[in-house]
């Protein structure tokens, strides 16, 4: 039986690369599209070392409609997982037009390319940021979306709306929207992990960079939030658990006769940890004391958000297998491996 052929946009990125590994190990053929805006070509060597497979990559800007159309004219896909997007909350506040232009145009071009092939089967990388400052916790898929706290979050809200509108107009369309929380950790092999081409901004890679001496100190943005220790609360999920959920969501569309109305799933552990609790967890696992300071609140940050993952468990059969200690152990092992390069 011929392998299903899947396009992974942003395939050299953090979540994209780990998902490619899970897809290959699950029997899919993968083609990537990544222009290395915030990723490194060396990531594909890590994927090859883990899977034994050389992944074909199109180093194109998917926001460029001509480049995207040319790729779709050369390749045929059974489905796509769309990760490619700018994702820095603070940067989006400073450069909103760049985020709208890139994140929305790339999505439109991928959807247009799938339509040109008479197919859909799109998994969209969304975010818990679409909930804004939710009025109840944990959030479920039915929790009303609040006002976006950043242009980045608004691009995710708008992306979801575009997908819903497109599927209403096209009966053949099948799409799954995955709202995930805070990915962290690395592949257990130590061969791939979070290695942005630009300076790290997410909490866990900043923690490991400080512990490794690459950064002088960590800033905790705010200690006066209405939480148990004053720092923001987030739901941290291991990247390989998250990768697995993408494979299961894709399989759900390809093998089950799902309706064309897009399905939405929260992906998180279901527990909220404060920033200070995450720091403490790293120090326990690594034995390294972190140099950190308390700074002012950061524009665009929500106070607290964590998931109710019941629906993903029931409909996708997805259950996270790793906790915060696994996240910290694999992230630290990956950071130390980077130091040998």
């Amino acid at each position: 039986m011929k392998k299903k052929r899947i396009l992974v946009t942003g395939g050299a990125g953090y979540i994209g690369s780990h998902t490619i590994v899970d897809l290959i190990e699950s029997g899919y053929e993968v083609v990537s599209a990544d222009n290395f805006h915030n990723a490194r070509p060396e990531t594909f060597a890590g994927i090859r070392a883990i899977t034994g497979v050389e992944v074909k990559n199109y180093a194109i800007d998917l926001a460029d409609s001509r480049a995207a159309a040319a790729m779709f004219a050369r390749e045929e896909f059974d489905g796509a997982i769309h990760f490619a997007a700018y994702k820095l909350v603070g940067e989006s506040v400073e450069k909103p037009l760049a985020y709208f232009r890139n994140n929305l145009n790339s999505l439109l071009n991928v959807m247009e390319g799938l339509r040109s092939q008479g197919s859909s089967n799109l998994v969209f990388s969304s975010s818990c940021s679409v909930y804004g400052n939710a009025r109840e916790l944990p959030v479920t898929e039915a929790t009303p979306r609040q006002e976006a706290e950043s242009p980045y979050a608004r691009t995710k809200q708008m992306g979801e709306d575009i997908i819903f509108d497109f599927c209403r107009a096209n009966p053949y369309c099948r799409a799954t929207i995955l709202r995930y929380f805070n990915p962290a950790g690395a592949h257990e092999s130590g061969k791939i992990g979070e290695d942005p081409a630009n300076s790290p901004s997410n909490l866990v890679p900043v923690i490991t960079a400080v512990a490794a001496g690459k950064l002088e100190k960590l800033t905790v943005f705010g200690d006066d939030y209405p939480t148990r220790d004053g720092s923001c609360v987030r739901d941290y999920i291991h990247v390989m658990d998250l990768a697995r959920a993408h494979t299961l969501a894709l399989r759900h569309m390809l093998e089950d006769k799902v309706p064309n109305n897009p399905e939405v799933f929260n992906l998180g552990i279901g527990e909220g940890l404060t920033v200070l609790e995450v720091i403490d967890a790293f120090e326990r696992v690594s034995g390294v004391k972190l140099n950190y300071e308390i700074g002012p609140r950061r524009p665009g940050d929500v106070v607290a958000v964590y998931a109710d993952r019941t629906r993903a468990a029931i409909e996708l059969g997805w259950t996270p297998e790793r906790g915060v200690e696994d996240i910290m152990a694999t992230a630290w092992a990956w950071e130390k491996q980077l130091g040998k390069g």
Side-chain angles (χ1 to χ4, degrees), residues 134-169:
R135 295 172 183 169
E136 57 184 35
L137 293 171
V139 294
T140 72
E141 291 83 357
T143 298
R145 299 185 323 189
Q146 301 299 322
E147 178 71 16
E149 293 293 310
S150 67
Y152 162 75
R154 200 178 306 281
T155 67
K156 293 301 184 182
Q157 289 180 339
M158 295 171 73
E160 290 187 1
D161 293 342
I162 288 167
I163 291 168
F164 273 100
D165 286 342
F166 180 78
C167 287
R168 287 190 193 101

Side-chain angles (χ1 to χ4, degrees), residues 30-310:
V30 176
V31 173
S32 169
D34 196 311
N35 67 347
F36 309 115
H37 171 79
N38 192 32
R40 302 179 191 276
E42 294 82 5
T43 301
F44 290 110
I47 293 172
R48 183 176 65 248
I50 296 168
T51 65
V53 174
E54 186 78 45
V55 174
K56 182 177 184 179
N57 180 67
Y58 282 84
I60 61 171
D61 180 1
L62 286 165
D64 180 337
S65 59
R66 289 185 178 180
M71 178 188 68
F72 279 100
R74 294 182 61 181
E75 305 282 352
E76 289 192 8
F77 304 109
D78 296 292
I81 303 178
H82 182 54
F83 293 109
Y86 295 167
K87 63 176 185 176
L88 303 181
V89 170
E91 183 183 66
S92 78
V93 174
E94 299 170 0
K95 303 176 181 178
L97 291 183
Y99 271 67
F100 290 125
R101 185 178 300 112
N102 181 78
N103 292 7
L104 298 180
N105 284 345
S106 63
L107 172 62
L108 291 170
N109 290 336
V110 169
M111 295 179 69
E112 186 65 44
L114 291 173
R115 184 173 70 168
S116 72
Q117 298 184 355
S119 65
S120 56
N121 295 320
L122 173 69
V123 178
F124 177 61
S125 168
S126 190
S127 164
C128 64
S129 65
V130 302
Y131 293 113
N133 276 305
R135 295 172 183 169
E136 57 184 35
L137 293 171
V139 294
T140 72
E141 291 83 357
T143 298
R145 299 185 323 189
Q146 301 299 322
E147 178 71 16
E149 293 293 310
S150 67
Y152 162 75
R154 200 178 306 281
T155 67
K156 293 301 184 182
Q157 289 180 339
M158 295 171 73
E160 290 187 1
D161 293 342
I162 288 167
I163 291 168
F164 273 100
D165 286 342
F166 180 78
C167 287
R168 287 190 193 101
N170 295 276
Y172 66 86
C173 173
R174 287 184 292 183
T176 301
I177 293 167
L178 300 182
R179 293 172 179 165
Y180 40 82
F181 286 64
N182 288 67
H187 191 271
E188 287 83 353
S189 68
K191 308 239 181 243
I192 57 172
E194 189 162 9
D195 186 20
N198 302 313
S199 297
S201 61
N202 293 334
L203 178 60
V204 174
V206 170
I207 284 175
T208 60
V210 170
K214 294 180 178 179
L215 296 176
E216 180 185 355
K217 61 187 174 183
L218 165 70
T219 300
V220 177
F221 295 106
D223 65 347
D224 58 348
Y225 287 100
T227 63
R228 52 186 170 269
D229 61 21
S231 60
C232 290
V233 173
R234 297 291 185 269
D235 185 336
Y236 293 89
I237 176 173
H238 196 285
V239 67
M240 285 309 300
D241 285 330
L242 188 63
R244 184 62 184 161
H246 286 79
T247 301
L248 292 173
L250 181 72
R251 181 179 295 166
H252 183 55
M253 285 192 299
L254 292 174
E255 297 181 3
D256 300 334
K257 300 300 181 183
V258 297
N260 86 309
N261 188 43
E263 295 187 290
V264 179
F265 296 98
N266 283 338
L267 301 178
I269 291 178
E271 299 176 3
L273 294 173
T274 69
V275 173
L276 293 175
E277 288 168 344
V278 172
I279 291 172
D280 180 66
F282 175 79
E283 290 180 338
R284 287 197 318 271
V285 168
S286 68
V288 178
K289 196 72 176 173
L290 283 174
N291 180 28
Y292 69 91
E293 65 177 7
I294 305 298
R297 294 187 182 191
R298 182 172 56 180
D301 280 345
V302 300
V303 177
V305 63
Y306 55 95
D308 181 322
R309 56 181 172 81
T310 303

